[in-house]
Amino acid sequence: MKTELYNDNFQNFKRYGIPKAQLVIADIPYNIGNNFYGSNPMWYKGGDNKNGESNLAGKAAFNTDFNFNIAEYFHFCNRLLKKEPKKSNGRGKSSDAPCMIVFCSFEQMPMVIKYAEKYGFKHNIPLIFCKNYSPQVLKANMRICGATEYALVLYREKLPKFRNNGKMIFNWFEWKRDSTKNYPKIHPAQKPVTLLKRLIEIFTDEGDVVIDPCAGSGTTLRACMELNRNSYGFEISKEFYRRAKDEMLSYVDDQIGFESFPGVMPK
């Protein structure tokens, strides 16, 4: 399986000759800007307001939260995704059709649906992710704290490929933090590898291509590595790119192969 991460904008995908994807996972900026850490203890030194504000106070998590262009984003993501199959594969209305998964805030959903329709994604399935924690701890005594994340499955005409051994798939999923022993914490908006693996397993098969246009910490690519999917990602930040390559994607499968026994390698 191929795993490629490029320190480049996804708009330049043609220069790399990568294949079109069965699944494009897109995590768009939430447009929080300078208030990214507004309800998070990280706003203060050591997480305690008695210590004063940290260097994250009043700071955005990444520059794209200011200049994100959703129309341009959908235009290129649409081109990264492969075309729908013309014929059914015998699975009724469901087929081997591709899809996009776009993580977004609840308030962004109408806007995402609007632009998705403009670029040919006429259908959507909302997804809800339930956490057993909330980063909004500083608001605990003032308001109800957010403990959910949201995404949209977007597709053109045919229902997207899904594989779940004939079992029902709900529109909500548990969102559990990854163990830092297994997966390093690199990006402030990092998605759990275990959650991404669940979504990738549903909408792809082994050997399929998955593309993450804004790869961040590389969790999507790591999930694909563990599931034997080909994956390609783009990340414009040199720091996130470096850490993703050195820490997240340094994963080595512990399965034993022929290369472990050079004397018995087939010729």
Side-chain angles (χ1 to χ4, degrees):
M1 296 297 102
K2 281 198 171 184
T3 304
E4 299 287 349
L5 179 62
Y6 307 108
N7 186 202
D8 201 350
N9 193 300
F10 61 85
Q11 295 177 354
N12 299 320
F13 75 97
K14 281 189 174 181
R15 68 176 57 168
Y16 301 103
I18 64 177
K20 299 294 181 70
Q22 177 69 35
L23 172 66
V24 172
I25 295 185
D27 186 8
I28 67 174
Y30 290 5
N31 296 322
I32 301 173
N34 290 335
N35 290 319
F36 187 87
Y37 299 97
S39 59
N40 192 302
M42 294 175 68
W43 185 281
Y44 300 102
K45 295 177 181 177
D48 191 335
N49 58 4
K50 295 179 181 179
N51 299 329
E53 294 182 340
S54 71
N55 58 1
L56 299 177
K59 298 289 181 63
F62 26 80
N63 293 333
T64 52
D65 221 19
F66 295 104
N67 55 16
F68 176 71
N69 186 319
I70 190 169
E72 187 176 82
Y73 193 71
F74 265 107
H75 171 68
F76 281 94
C77 286
N78 186 27
R79 296 178 67 186
L80 290 167
L81 199 66
K82 74 178 189 180
K83 295 181 179 179
E84 288 191 339
K86 294 182 179 180
K87 296 182 179 179
S88 169
N89 63 349
R91 301 185 70 241
K93 291 185 178 180
S94 182
S95 68
D96 284 328
C99 68
M100 284 182 64
I101 298 177
V102 178
F103 287 93
C104 60
S105 67
F106 181 80
E107 294 78 9
Q108 287 176 312
M109 280 188 164
M111 177 185 65
V112 172
I113 292 172
K114 173 185 173 182
Y115 280 98
E117 290 177 347
K118 182 178 178 181
Y119 287 93
F121 295 92
K122 301 178 181 179
H123 308 282
N124 67 82
I125 303 171
L127 301 180
I128 300 172
F129 305 94
C130 301
K131 301 177 179 179
N132 61 356
Y133 66 94
S134 174
Q136 299 178 350
V137 294
L138 298 183
K139 295 180 180 177
N141 296 323
M142 297 181 288
R143 57 181 290 184
I144 294 174
C145 295
T148 52
E149 297 274 348
Y150 302 89
L152 287 163
V153 177
L154 303 169
Y155 61 100
R156 298 180 180 113
E157 296 290 349
K158 297 181 175 66
L159 281 169
K161 173 197 293 188
F162 63 90
R163 307 285 191 258
N164 201 42
N165 297 321
K167 296 180 181 179
M168 189 181 297
I169 299 173
F170 294 148
N171 64 349
W172 67 272
F173 298 80
E174 285 187 307
W175 181 295
K176 295 182 179 180
R177 290 171 171 168
D178 283 333
S179 168
T180 54
K181 292 182 180 179
N182 299 322
Y183 306 108
K185 177 65 175 177
I186 297 173
H187 197 283
Q190 185 168 317
K191 302 294 183 286
V193 174
T194 50
L195 175 68
L196 293 169
K197 286 175 69 175
R198 177 72 181 122
L199 296 173
I200 292 166
E201 283 180 319
I202 291 172
F203 293 103
T204 67
D205 294 324
E206 286 195 11
D208 280 344
V209 173
V210 179
I211 296 176
D212 189 338
C214 299
S217 58
T219 49
T220 299
L221 278 65
R222 173 64 179 268
C224 289
M225 291 173 71
E226 296 186 14
L227 293 173
N228 293 320
R229 271 68 167 175
N230 295 290
S231 59
Y232 302 85
F234 298 85
E235 176 52 48
I236 59 175
S237 166
K238 291 182 179 180
E239 178 62 16
F240 289 142
Y241 168 80
R242 180 189 64 78
R243 293 195 62 190
K245 292 278 285 187
D246 295 346
E247 300 174 43
M248 187 63 72
L249 302 181
S250 60
Y251 163 78
V252 177
D253 195 339
D254 60 3
Q255 293 182 351
I256 297 176
F258 282 115
E259 63 277 5
S260 303
F261 305 93
V264 296
M265 279 287 287
K267 296 181 180 180

